[in-house]
Amino acid sequence: MAFIGAVKFLLQHLLLLCLFNYLPFSQGKQNWNEGYPFIRRASSLGYNGKSGGYDYIIVGGGTAGCPLAATLSKKFKVLVLERGGVPFNNPNVSFLHNFHITLADTSPTSASQYFISTDGVLNARGRVLGGATSINAGFYTRADPRFIRKVGWDTKLVNESYPWVEKQIVHRPKFSDWQRAVRDGLLAAGVSPFNGFTYDHKYGTKVGGTIFDRFGRRHTAAELLASANPHKLTVLIHATVQKIVFDTKGKRPKATGVIFKDENGKQHEAYLGNDRQSEVIVSSGALGTPQLLLLSGIGPKAELQKLNIPVVLDNQFVGKGMADNPMNTIFVPSKRPVQQSLIETVGITNLGVYIETSSGFGQSKDSIHCHHGILSAEVCNLFTKFTYCGYKITNNVRDLESTLECLTVGCCCKSLSHTIRTSLFMQLKMTCIVFSQNLYVHVS
Ligand SMILES: Cc1cc2nc3c(=O)[nH]c(=O)nc-3n(C[C@H](O)[C@H](O)[C@H](O)COP(=O)(O)OP(=O)(O)OC[C@H]3O[C@@H](n4cnc5c(N)ncnc54)[C@H](O)[C@@H]3O)c2cc1C
């Protein structure tokens, strides 16, 4: 019996070892391009490469760009140009436990590009295939049907598209103790009913989907490219588009191609075919898209002229109406290690208040003085300064420490529900409750 027990023990550990070794290596340099033979470095085009005959050129292989490319390639010849590299062989991108490390990496080669808005809010954007799905908190939910109607999309088509994405990259979360505690806190604060686990946008408290699987491995929008037609798709990484080229001879300017540079700084050109339906599609994110349009001469005439950019089309709206979507972050410090979890439980009210929560992502005491991008201690300062009540909430939360043990087992959520109620009362648009050890929060 003892022998059988020992063999069982060994086999179990061998299995675990294989699993842990397999996960990182399955995304290693050697393997990823087998699944995506159409992805190449921009420099592989050689010196001053010119390519043409595309039905669609997609600028930005991010959250929108990747599924678009996969779908269009079923019928058309498609080129995707992405300024970043691939997410597959990057452990910082691939694993939930490294979520904060990517955001804290402010180096020029990081998958996350750190920036500060003109209003002084720290933020980050994706600089890698898969875009912000490679750096974000991974929460997945279907859109509010009212939003779909408001923007005039085809509801039937949208509803058909959801399962296509969900089957490939969305998972049901494991549901940690902290997420359970927040669920109880939300319900006690009146954010009801409890809608259980659902992808649908429903008022009340719910558990949504996540792009992290049960091993904590991230599945980005880049994986949606696996369903593309490999014979009709080319994806160039490290390809930064600098300008859209237009034919201005007709009544209205028509995009004919793009100029981009590779990772060695060499310039290349790519052109559409002669089909009148062919298009350059700019899906470079909320900041990258207007930036590229402006650089290409589409935007407010006076501003373009001031910058000596030849005007292709005078459009007053390009680059306007940008606003931060500030989040009120409530930090709940813990003296003990806390299990890591990203957004799983959310509270949604019909007043447009949205409450989410994460746990276990702290900072070390030594690193507090370093630059940590979006995860800097100063983030708390800025976000809580956003409203006076935010500042007060943060102070209240410090008193929560004594009840944390109860909170984590989900049996006492009085303090938590009080905090949530305050947030609801103030109608703070978005609140994130962060529970973690090593939170060196400066409240000024
Ligand atoms: C830290 C963080 C956490 C978030 N958490 C969540 C969450 O949990 N759930 C959720 O639903 N949303 C979340 N979001 C928001 C969500 O990720 C983004 O709104 C969404 O991914 C944006 O998609 P996009 O296609 O517009 O842009 P992106 O996904 O950013 O794609 C744009 C792509 O274009 C590329 N690009 C830009 N300029 C050029 C150029 N000139 N040439 C070539 N390529 C270019 C970029 O490198 C990028 O890959 C989060 C965002 C952040 C930053």
Side-chain angles (χ1 to χ4, degrees):
M1 283 304 277
F3 174 72
I4 295 173
V7 171
K8 253 188 178 171
F9 178 82
L10 265 173
L11 279 176
Q12 272 168 359
H13 279 75
L14 203 66
L15 191 75
L16 274 177
L17 252 175
C18 292
L19 201 62
F20 279 116
N21 281 329
Y22 170 74
L23 282 176
F25 287 126
S26 67
Q27 300 163 69
K29 266 182 191 144
Q30 312 92 314
N31 290 337
W32 70 261
N33 43 8
E34 282 171 19
Y36 308 91
F38 41 79
I39 302 179
R40 291 193 284 147
R41 281 176 170 266
S43 58
S44 67
L45 292 176
Y47 186 69
N48 198 9
K50 254 188 196 179
S51 60
Y54 299 104
D55 297 312
Y56 292 97
I57 296 174
I58 298 176
V59 184
T63 314
C66 287
L68 189 61
T71 311
L72 287 173
S73 73
K74 300 281 178 201
K75 283 196 189 155
F76 305 102
K77 190 177 168 191
V78 179
L79 172 69
V80 176
L81 298 165
E82 167 53 46
R83 65 183 179 146
V86 287
F88 311 116
N89 55 358
N90 184 342
N92 284 355
V93 166
S94 298
F95 294 101
L96 184 138
H97 59 253
N98 289 339
F99 166 70
H100 55 321
I101 296 176
T102 315
L103 294 176
D105 178 3
T106 54
S107 70
T109 54
S110 171
S112 161
Q113 184 186 9
Y114 160 74
F115 68 94
I116 306 178
S117 77
T118 38
D119 288 338
V121 175
L122 304 181
N123 212 331
R125 59 183 180 134
R127 181 171 43 194
V128 61
L129 198 65
T133 59
S134 301
I135 64 162
N136 74 12
F139 182 71
Y140 172 86
T141 188
R142 292 183 177 191
D144 183 347
R146 286 188 309 189
F147 173 79
I148 306 292
R149 284 194 294 274
K150 193 173 143 196
V151 292
W153 289 343
D154 177 343
T155 305
K156 188 168 168 281
L157 193 60
V158 170
N159 287 335
E160 281 167 11
S161 306
Y162 288 134
W164 184 81
V165 174
E166 287 154 9
K167 269 187 211 139
Q168 295 181 82
I169 59 168
V170 186
H171 300 262
R172 187 178 180 147
K174 266 206 296 203
F175 212 40
S176 68
D177 287 343
W178 169 246
Q179 297 286 338
R180 199 164 287 140
V182 175
R183 174 199 62 191
D184 295 346
L186 283 164
L187 291 172
V191 187
S192 54
F194 179 55
N195 294 310
F197 167 70
T198 177
Y199 291 149
D200 288 333
H201 179 91
K202 287 188 173 171
Y203 297 121
T205 295
K206 73 163 196 169
V207 178
T210 171
I211 58 171
F212 291 96
D213 65 22
R214 65 198 173 96
F215 301 110
R217 197 192 133 189
R218 184 193 288 273
H219 296 271
T220 75
E223 290 182 32
L224 298 172
L225 292 171
S227 60
N229 177 351
H231 306 294
K232 292 212 169 227
L233 178 64
T234 304
V235 177
L236 294 180
I237 50 170
H238 302 296
T240 305
V241 177
Q242 297 170 304
K243 202 177 162 185
I244 305 168
V245 181
F246 290 94
D247 174 0
T248 50
K249 289 197 281 287
K251 221 174 170 192
R252 282 177 68 83
K254 161 108 177 76
T256 54
V258 294
I259 297 172
F260 62 99
K261 72 170 176 29
D262 67 24
E263 67 271 30
N264 301 321
K266 295 222 167 77
Q267 221 171 48
H268 306 271
E269 291 161 40
Y271 288 97
L272 295 168
N274 291 327
D275 192 330
R276 281 176 58 82
Q277 305 293 321
S278 57
E279 285 178 28
V280 172
I281 298 174
V282 190
S283 54
S284 309
L287 297 181
T289 298
Q291 180 198 22
L292 183 60
L293 290 175
L294 290 166
L295 288 172
S296 308
I298 298 183
K301 194 175 174 180
E303 279 177 41
L304 294 174
Q305 281 172 337
K306 231 190 281 166
L307 296 165
N308 289 328
I309 298 174
V311 181
V312 173
L313 189 75
D314 179 17
N315 185 312
Q316 296 306 311
F317 300 108
V318 179
K320 302 290 176 215
M322 303 288 289
D324 290 312
N325 184 12
M327 180 166 69
N328 177 56
T329 311
I330 299 171
F331 289 96
V332 185
S334 162
K335 287 201 175 97
R336 288 173 304 163
V338 178
Q339 187 191 354
Q340 288 180 322
S341 72
L342 283 174
I343 321 303
E344 297 169 7
T345 298
V346 295
I348 307 168
T349 78
N350 53 9
L351 290 174
V353 177
Y354 188 90
I355 298 175
E356 61 179 32
T357 182
S358 72
S359 62
F361 296 93
Q363 299 156 305
S364 80
K365 220 173 202 160
D366 306 330
S367 68
I368 192 79
H369 303 295
C370 310
H371 195 300
H372 275 89
I374 197 173
L375 285 188
S376 299
E378 290 78 22
V379 167
C380 177
N381 262 349
L382 278 167
F383 283 2
T384 51
K385 267 184 192 162
F386 170 57
T387 52
Y388 178 61
C389 58
Y391 170 70
K392 277 212 307 211
I393 287 169
T394 309
N395 280 341
N396 289 344
V397 165
R398 284 176 169 274
D399 304 334
L400 280 174
E401 216 171 333
S402 56
T403 59
L404 283 183
E405 202 166 327
C406 313
L407 285 174
T408 51
V409 291
C411 62
C412 168
C413 46
K414 216 170 149 198
S415 304
L416 188 53
S417 72
H418 172 74
T419 309
I420 292 168
R421 257 192 218 115
T422 317
S423 193
L424 287 171
F425 177 69
M426 299 313 296
Q427 292 192 19
L428 299 172
K429 220 170 164 214
M430 185 160 180
T431 295
C432 184
I433 308 170
V434 179
F435 176 39
S436 197
Q437 193 189 24
N438 296 336
L439 276 174
Y440 298 97
V441 178
H442 296 165
V443 182
S444 58

